[in-house]
Amino acid sequence: MSVNPLSALPASAASAVRTEKNERFDRWWIMVAAVAVLVILLIFLKPDPYKNLFNFVRDGVWRTTYITIISFVLVIVFGLFVGLARLSKHKVIRGIATVYVEIIRGIPMMVQIIYWAFALPAIIQEMGSAWNIPSFMEYRPDGIVMAIFGLTFGYSAYMSEVYRAGIQSISKGQMEAARSLGMTYVQAMRYIIVPQAVRVILPPMGNELITLLKDTALVSAVAIPELTRRGREFSSANFNPIETWTMVALLYLVMTLLATRLVAYLEKKARYER
Amino acid sequence: MEPIIKIQGVHKYFGTLEALKGVNLEVQKGEVVVIIGPSGSGKSTMLRCINRLEEFDEGSIIVDGIPLDTAENINAVRTEVGMVFQQFNLFPHLSVLENVLLAQQIVRKRDRAEAEKVGMALLNKVGIPEKAKYFPGQLSGGQQQRVAIARALAMNPKIMLFDEPTSALDPEMIQEVLDVMVALAREGMTMVVVSHEMGFARACAHRAILMDAGQIIEEAPPDVLFSHPTHERTKAFLSKVLH
């Protein structure tokens, strides 16, 4: 046997592992490009009002983007814990997770966001006056932070169901094989079940990302100057609803289409031979 | 000599169904035991109790001096007991080599180089070192089952359990898996095999056991059990599988 047994392997074995790698250029990119070009054309061919409009809502695009990204990262982590809790053997843990999911699913996202932004700070202030805690009485949370909390808390419930379905779709034999090799439950989850479940989960997870991105428009209701809010401000100041909302719609479309492509890319990367 | 597996009065219920009705079995170190019996007789359930993949409701099982009671003991037993499944249960997201390395690294805490040495040696032993970089889905059933055996052996188990290892295979692939099992038996591995492969039983097994309705009905050396069964249920079962 040579020192490194792997070097003895034929090179063809490695290249046979992934066969579809050199697929044709993804045609959906044309759609992304078309919408982006349309936006750019509008800005250059008709600077009044499109260029002014674009400059006005640009910070809204940025805010929408980072609210989406931060919320989604939190949703991915928190949703996993809730999903695992719903599969737990312990009745109490499972019960808490189930109640949480049922409550969240029964309340409109808009109401949840308003609750986090206005009701929750008010509750804390009341508690402050009742028990005489000055820091509670003057509690004024940052609007964007509360908006992110609201979105995270709401979307984690939906994401936990995505995780749960994905984990349950992996055959019981996988867990048994892992445990029979002496892996702990946590190791089996970490190395065997979750990596496989992720591949099943990616498409519905992508849906959640797109829906979340669009639902960030809801936080305009609590005065966060994201894209929709900035659009409304511009439109009411300049009385040009057609141009404003066309631009806003196109900008959302660019973002959602990009997100779709990102998910499709990840799905392709995660694929393996069955 | 103290038996390496000691099953005493084990009962197992699936709801109201009593799957095991007080099973007693002792297996000596280096012994090869083949268990046969009609489907639903509890033979797989009993096998799965030995590494506690199946919980039992009464009785005790002691493996290599360790009783199957606490979570720690159960994990300790599992690292010493390899298992091969009917459906292979290879990890489809990992290459063949990674399948063989993973548990060595995270359970046995071997470093990568050492684990690779052990893994490649075992893939050589089961006859498919050239498939190391492939994914399980690219292999035939027989090849997958041989990888599954290598994966279990990589943990240096003292006991190997086989749960109908050839039942899901196409006929022409059964022999390549049996060859690996025969070689293992010749090396003195302690093996408990649920299988109806009479050829394997005759060639390697020290003892054959017939189970029916959650009980051990009869046990004898395979030649004796297959040729001169004493119990009616053994005769009835053998008349259906031997032809």
Side-chain angles (χ1 to χ4, degrees):
Chain A
M1 194 100 191
S2 60
V3 184
N4 177 6
L6 286 180
S7 61
L9 290 169
S12 60
S15 63
V17 168
R18 293 188 193 280
T19 46
E20 284 181 66
K21 199 134 198 183
N22 299 323
E23 230 174 43
R24 271 193 321 136
F25 175 74
D26 188 346
R27 273 164 295 151
W28 288 100
W29 276 110
I30 296 170
M31 185 139 174
V32 184
V35 179
V37 167
L38 189 55
V39 171
I40 293 164
L41 279 179
L42 285 176
I43 290 169
F44 280 98
L45 297 181
K46 207 162 175 285
D48 182 36
Y50 287 111
K51 193 170 181 189
N52 304 337
L53 175 53
F54 181 75
N55 285 333
F56 188 83
V57 299
R58 208 165 50 187
D59 61 338
V61 172
W62 163 237
R63 233 165 255 128
T64 292
T65 309
Y66 83 68
I67 290 173
T68 305
I69 291 172
I70 295 174
S71 305
F72 196 64
V73 169
L74 294 174
V75 165
I76 285 174
V77 177
F78 193 50
L80 175 61
F81 284 116
V82 179
L84 289 173
R86 291 208 72 185
L87 294 168
S88 170
K89 272 192 284 186
H90 301 281
K91 260 191 189 145
V92 179
I93 296 176
R94 202 173 58 223
I96 292 170
T98 307
V99 168
Y100 159 69
V101 171
E102 290 303 324
I103 288 176
I104 292 300
R105 281 204 297 205
I107 302 171
M109 199 63 226
M110 174 84 110
V111 175
Q112 290 183 45
I113 286 165
I114 294 172
Y115 204 94
W116 277 83
F118 301 138
L120 209 69
I123 290 170
I124 291 172
Q125 287 157 15
E126 297 265 322
M127 273 166 33
S129 345
W131 299 327
N132 220 345
I133 311 168
S135 62
F136 275 28
M137 284 194 284
E138 276 130 53
Y139 182 68
R140 298 246 180 287
D142 185 75
I144 288 190
V145 172
M146 291 318 252
I148 289 173
F149 277 174
L151 287 167
T152 302
F153 208 68
Y155 268 80
S156 293
Y158 296 102
M159 190 65 99
S160 75
E161 288 296 274
V162 171
Y163 277 116
R164 189 168 71 114
I167 288 167
Q168 283 178 330
S169 76
I170 306 302
S171 88
K172 257 182 78 185
Q174 291 291 307
M175 179 56 94
E176 289 184 348
R179 298 307 297 274
S180 79
L181 289 164
M183 290 185 213
T184 62
Y185 176 82
V186 174
Q187 286 175 327
M189 274 290 170
R190 153 88 180 73
Y191 292 101
I192 306 301
I193 307 298
V194 171
Q196 288 182 62
V198 162
R199 294 164 166 88
V200 180
I201 286 167
L202 269 173
M205 217 180 196
N207 278 341
E208 292 296 313
L209 171 63
I210 312 280
T211 317
L212 173 64
L213 172 56
K214 291 183 294 182
D215 268 1
T216 56
L218 293 174
V219 307
S220 65
V222 294
I224 307 297
E226 44 64 72
L227 180 52
T228 303
R229 179 85 184 185
R230 295 296 275 163
R232 191 178 301 168
E233 286 167 10
F234 190 87
S235 154
S236 48
N238 299 284
F239 311 106
N240 49 3
I242 297 175
E243 291 86 346
T244 307
W245 295 110
T246 303
M247 182 56 116
V248 169
L250 285 172
L251 287 172
Y252 271 116
L253 202 52
V254 171
M255 288 191 277
T256 52
L257 287 172
L258 275 175
T260 317
R261 291 302 84 213
L262 174 72
V263 174
Y265 169 77
L266 291 177
E267 272 176 47
K268 211 167 149 185
K269 268 199 83 165
R271 217 178 287 156
Y272 58 87
E273 305 291 329
R274 276 182 188 272
Chain B
M1 202 171 73
E2 187 68 8
I4 195 162
I5 303 173
K6 198 170 175 181
I7 303 175
Q8 283 178 314
V10 166
H11 289 257
K12 161 81 187 169
Y13 300 87
F14 288 112
T16 56
L17 176 82
E18 193 173 7
L20 294 178
K21 298 174 185 168
V23 172
N24 296 295
L25 178 69
E26 290 188 354
V27 178
Q28 298 297 331
K29 194 168 187 307
E31 203 180 3
V32 176
V33 177
V34 168
I35 303 168
I36 59 172
S39 77
S41 60
K43 51 194 195 310
S44 284
T45 307
M46 187 188 77
L47 191 76
R48 291 158 54 84
C49 282
I50 297 173
N51 66 351
R52 214 26 163 52
L53 283 185
E54 210 74 74
E55 288 179 27
F56 45 91
D57 299 296
E58 285 167 49
S60 73
I61 297 180
I62 300 172
V63 179
D64 197 26
I66 307 169
L68 282 170
D69 42 24
T70 64
E72 269 167 40
N73 280 353
I74 290 168
N75 252 8
V77 165
R78 282 174 178 160
T79 55
E80 305 303 334
V81 178
M83 181 141 188
V84 175
F85 300 85
Q86 183 178 356
Q87 297 298 339
F88 329 136
N89 292 344
L90 290 179
F91 306 132
H93 61 303
L94 300 177
S95 72
V96 163
L97 185 62
E98 293 295 339
N99 264 275
V100 181
L101 298 191
L102 181 63
Q104 292 190 62
Q105 290 179 280
I106 65 176
V107 180
R108 283 270 188 245
K109 311 281 183 210
R110 289 179 187 149
D111 64 42
R112 172 100 195 168
E114 191 193 349
E116 257 179 31
K117 221 165 96 185
V118 174
M120 282 311 297
L122 283 167
L123 288 179
N124 267 312
K125 185 173 174 173
V126 300
I128 35 177
E130 75 280 4
K131 300 285 187 190
K133 292 273 177 178
Y134 285 65
F135 280 80
Q138 296 171 304
L139 270 53
S140 73
Q143 291 170 331
Q144 288 192 51
Q145 193 61 300
R146 285 187 281 154
V147 173
I149 294 172
R151 178 178 68 177
L153 289 176
M155 297 294 288
N156 299 103
K158 293 179 178 152
I159 303 165
M160 286 286 285
L161 307 177
F162 292 83
D163 189 3
E164 309 208 22
T166 56
S167 303
L169 295 174
D170 290 336
E172 75 271 22
M173 291 167 184
I174 291 176
Q175 199 53 47
E176 64 188 56
V177 173
L178 288 180
D179 287 345
V180 172
M181 290 169 62
V182 170
L184 207 54
R186 298 258 151 88
E187 288 169 21
M189 175 66 79
T190 309
M191 293 164 70
V192 182
V193 183
V194 171
S195 174
H196 293 153
E197 292 296 333
M198 302 299 174
F200 171 79
R202 281 179 198 276
C204 302
H206 301 97
R207 238 192 314 165
I209 292 175
L210 182 107
M211 279 188 80
D212 191 21
Q215 285 174 314
I216 291 176
I217 303 297
E218 186 171 356
E219 50 183 302
D223 284 330
V224 178
L225 187 85
F226 298 158
S227 313
H228 309 288
T230 55
H231 205 288
E232 281 309 316
R233 276 196 270 184
T234 316
K235 287 177 190 166
F237 176 72
L238 287 173
S239 72
K240 283 176 203 147
V241 289
L242 294 177
H243 28 115

